[in-house]
Amino acid sequence: MKKVLFVLTSHDKLGDTGKKTGFWIEEFAAPYYFLHDKDVEITLASPKGGQPPIDPSSETEDAQTEATKRFHKDEALQQKLASTLKLASVDQEGFDAIFYPGGHGPLWDLAEDKDSIALIESFYNHNKPVSAVCHAPAVFKHVKDKDGNYLVKGKKVTGFTNSEEEAVQLTDIVPFLVEDMLKERGGLYAKGDDWSVFTQEDGLLITGQNPASSEKVAEILLAKIS
């Protein structure tokens, strides 16, 4: 049985707005069920362990998909989610790949989290796929390869676009823009139309642009480890 580690944010504050953030349900649920239904064993972790915060915006009516509806009825998965492992307690051994769902939370915690950075580097250096969708490519901000270069340098990548961030009116709230950061780190950034399915694959690195791209990232990931 293949095993994938999902890493979720523990951050719930949307800057200084007084509003809440966290992870985006669709970006967790769609990849989770896609892999789960193909008999992949999934372990959940977060920086603080326990229940990761859900972005309230991902619970609105217009954000619902078949995967989120299934999640809301799935008590077993909700219980599993409530008891994520502490990130510091896991390593790459025993896993075939790592996946990061987005939501705005990762911009604040996972992008700067030393355990997360070390974990991604370890997976990559052990020839295991690393994947992230939407805002989660933020986690590659400080990740480097064996030669000390930024991991995304010279690699095809994507992530939440500046225009998508503008559309949700959070450009001035977030600590940095995913598109700009990936370009600054030397990534060969590309994007599709706003809100359309768009992914990039470059060796072990798999990225998706937005919530709509989350299941496609899981498809590519499964093909890599099968």
Side-chain angles (χ1 to χ4, degrees):
M1 182 182 269
K2 295 297 181 183
K3 298 181 179 181
V4 176
L5 178 65
F6 274 40
V7 181
L8 298 113
T9 182
S10 291
H11 185 87
D12 69 350
K13 292 182 180 65
L14 191 60
D16 299 324
T17 63
K19 294 178 181 174
K20 294 292 187 182
T21 190
F23 75 90
W24 199 262
I25 298 175
E26 158 69 16
E27 296 167 28
F28 164 71
Y32 184 94
Y33 288 125
F34 179 84
L35 294 169
H36 173 78
D37 293 347
K38 306 288 191 299
D39 295 322
V40 174
E41 184 181 311
I42 299 165
T43 298
L44 308 180
S46 63
K48 294 180 180 176
Q51 175 71 53
I54 292 173
D55 189 319
S57 298
S58 71
E59 297 189 289
T60 60
E61 186 112 3
D62 61 351
Q64 300 316 300
T65 64
E66 290 308 308
T68 65
K69 290 171 188 171
R70 182 174 170 185
F71 168 76
H72 286 303
K73 294 175 186 168
D74 190 343
E75 288 185 19
L77 180 53
Q78 289 176 37
Q79 286 177 1
K80 181 177 177 178
L81 185 65
S83 53
T84 65
L85 301 173
K86 272 198 173 176
L87 198 52
S89 73
V90 296
D91 61 34
Q92 57 77 31
E93 202 172 326
F95 294 105
D96 297 290
I98 189 169
F99 171 73
Y100 285 79
H104 284 87
L107 294 170
W108 278 275
D109 65 348
L110 290 169
E112 309 295 334
D113 189 284
K114 287 182 173 54
D115 293 317
S116 177
I117 295 163
L119 196 59
I120 296 168
E121 291 175 348
S122 182
F123 267 83
Y124 196 85
N125 291 337
H126 283 87
N127 211 34
K128 297 176 180 181
V130 295
S131 54
V133 68
C134 198
H135 284 90
V139 302
F140 301 124
K141 185 178 181 185
H142 299 296
V143 176
K144 294 185 177 178
D145 63 17
K146 285 177 177 174
D147 300 321
N149 298 310
Y150 287 113
L151 184 64
V152 300
K153 185 181 178 183
K155 295 190 182 71
K156 293 186 288 185
V157 288
T158 190
F160 206 58
T161 68
N162 289 353
S163 51
E164 286 169 330
E165 199 69 83
E166 206 172 302
V168 297
Q169 301 182 318
L170 292 173
T171 303
D172 297 329
I173 307 299
V174 294
F176 60 91
L177 296 169
V178 175
E179 177 179 337
D180 287 355
M181 181 277 289
L182 291 171
K183 289 175 179 175
E184 286 162 9
R185 295 297 192 246
L188 306 178
Y189 181 89
K191 57 187 174 183
D193 293 336
D194 285 0
W195 316 114
S196 67
V197 178
F198 187 82
T199 58
Q200 289 281 68
E201 177 187 0
D202 196 323
L204 298 170
L205 187 61
I206 307 161
T207 47
Q209 179 177 315
N210 48 33
S213 310
S214 57
E215 187 169 302
K216 183 67 179 173
V217 169
E219 278 181 46
I220 298 168
L221 182 62
L222 183 63
K224 282 260 185 226
I225 62 176
S226 295

